[in-house]
Each structure stands twice: as C-alpha cells, then as structure tokens.
Amino acid sequence: MRSKGESATNTDPTGHWTLIVPLKLLALAKSRLTPTTGEALRPRLALAFAEDTVAATLSCPAVRDVVVVTDDPEAGAALAGLGAGVVPDEPGRGLNAALAHGARTVRARRPGAAVAALNADLPALRPAELSRVLEFSTAFPRAFVTDAAGIGTTFLSAASGVELRPLFSGSSRARHLGSGAVEITLTGIDSVRQDVDTGEDLCAALGLGVGPRTAGCWAAGAASADR
C-alpha cells in the first residue's frame, strides 16, 4: 500500500496527466442517494463509485498517476490499494479548496505537471472516453466537461504552468465558462459526464454499465433488501 502523499504511477509512466480526485468522508458522502439506497448502503456505494472511478482512470494510458484528496481512512486505504496516491484534505474548506490543495501537492513534486480534477462519482467511467477528453484538453490552458444534467462539472483540466482554478459545486458549468475554461463538447463521452447524486443518476449510470465494485455493491444491497 502506498503511503499518504506518495503519488501512484500508472503501468505506463509516460502518461502525461495527473488526475486529482476529491472524496468526502464516507459518512457524509452522497446524502441525496439515501431515499434510493437507504442509510446503510449509501456510504458503501460512495466508496464503490470512487473505487471504480480510480480504477478506470489508472487504466487510461494518458494518465501518469492519480492523487485522491480525502480524510476518510477507509477510503484512503482502499484507493491506495488500487494504486492511487492519497493526500489528506488539509485545507478542510470544501471541494474546491481540496482540489486546489491536490494540484499544489502534485506540482510541489513535479512543477510542470498537467493536472485535471475528476469527480469521484463516475462509476461507469470508460478509460477510452477519458482518453478522448484528455487528448482534447491538451490544446487548451483549461477545459472542462459538463455533467449529464448540463449544470455541473465532472472534469476540469489545467495545462502545465496553468492554475487549475476549480469552481465546482452547483451551477459550475456557468462558472467555469465565465472563468475562461473551454467546454468540451465531444460526443460519445457519456461515462465521463454521468456523475451520481440522485436515484435517477444511479439508474442512468447502471444503464451505461457500471464498474465491478459498484455493480457488486448494488447487487449485494438489493439482495439484502429482499431478505
């Protein structure tokens, strides 16, 4: 297992990008899913989402490494076990502060790193679709992907030497556009757009085809509910 603060390296270390994935304490994560999942299953699904997201990201050849920003010990251990580096959420001031902290941590070690923020709740993420997004992003100082609802953001990139300037949460599409970031309008990247906040989002992700950890957790939860 990798220690906190140590970057994990993809099986292809020539990858260009470092992806920064923020994750709340599991006890607080995905509260809007509770009516669909129940209280007991919700934190387990939140972790499964993050595990499938990180595993898919590390399978993307364009990705050099993944750094997870979290204070949750269970999640940190699980994601480090997949090959992610884990850094504590030292600012403790919310999502955007966590992402900025992650970017600073990466660039303290590799000043020229190209970095991108990626939501932790993309359980249907396909490495090939993420590769297309990253390839598109190389042409711009900052670029972002709007979520499936057309309101929020699931991905934000910053080229070497460019500040990330994350403006996630709520109506973040408009804020990222206003900040000068380029919206990525590629077709066929549904798995990069489909974050999961609600029961409807979960149904949409399941329809796309989620990763094995989410699928197993959801199946186990359904089986338990039937007993």
Side-chain angles (χ1 to χ4, degrees), residues 125-219:
L125 184 64
R126 304 287 190 267
E129 294 183 15
L130 180 58
S131 288
R132 293 183 61 216
V133 167
L134 291 168
E135 181 180 4
F136 183 97
S137 299
T138 59
F140 302 97
R142 291 168 67 243
F144 71 97
V145 172
T146 302
D147 65 11
I151 297 169
T153 305
T154 60
F155 168 97
L156 172 69
S157 67
S160 176
V162 178
E163 186 180 356
L164 184 61
R165 294 175 60 200
L167 299 166
F168 284 77
S169 190
S171 301
S172 59
R173 174 183 180 268
R175 290 195 298 275
H176 283 128
L177 275 174
S179 74
V182 173
E183 183 172 9
I184 298 172
T185 57
L186 296 170
T187 59
I189 58 167
D190 292 349
S191 76
V192 188
R193 299 187 189 281
Q194 190 57 67
D195 55 354
V196 178
D197 289 315
T198 66
E200 291 79 7
D201 295 335
L202 179 57
C203 287
L206 290 168
L208 288 175
V210 295
R213 296 161 188 85
T214 300
C217 183
W218 180 244

Side-chain angles (χ1 to χ4, degrees), residues 10-43:
N10 195 338
T11 52
D12 179 4
T14 62
H16 181 60
W17 293 90
T18 293
L19 274 287
I20 302 164
V21 178
L23 183 61
K24 283 183 180 180
L25 294 171
L26 295 177
L28 304 176
K30 298 295 148 198
S31 59
R32 292 166 62 194
L33 274 178
T34 304
T36 299
T37 65
E39 188 60 38
L41 182 60
R42 175 188 52 77

